[in-house]
Amino acid sequence: MGQLDDAAKAFRAADTALTRVKEQAAQRIEAARKARMDARAALHAAIVAEARAGAPQVDIIRRSGYSRDRVRTILRAGGVEPE
């Protein structure tokens, strides 16, 4: 009976550990998603600021890594009419 008890105890411990790790992973994923959203908002604000400062759209595209259409969309949403 000792082996069965030990095996059952080990299984419960492993199951509890798995649940804990899943919860921690979910929290880390949520934190990473929030950081990504914040970084995206900062990038969009920087794109709008650069355009308002007179930076050529081609430079904004090259530096941001976004396509021309995406930059235009961001600029329009920021109240700047793209070139």
Side-chain angles (χ1 to χ4, degrees):
M1 285 282 213
Q3 185 178 6
L4 176 58
D5 293 337
D6 292 344
K9 183 178 178 180
F11 174 76
R12 285 191 297 275
D15 196 41
T16 300
L18 179 61
T19 300
R20 186 173 41 253
V21 168
K22 283 181 180 179
E23 290 169 357
Q24 291 169 347
Q27 292 169 353
R28 290 180 65 192
I29 289 169
E30 185 58 33
R33 284 184 178 146
K34 183 182 180 328
R36 181 177 179 233
M37 286 177 41
D38 293 346
R40 180 185 299 145
L43 176 58
H44 290 195
I47 287 171
V48 171
E50 286 287 316
R52 286 192 175 138
Q57 189 172 340
V58 69
D59 288 345
I60 295 171
I61 291 165
R62 181 180 46 79
R63 291 168 55 202
S64 70
Y66 280 153
S67 69
R68 179 176 296 277
D69 288 337
R70 184 68 181 134
V71 169
R72 286 180 179 173
T73 301
I74 292 165
L75 292 177
R76 285 190 182 116
V80 176
E81 191 56 37
E83 305 169 353

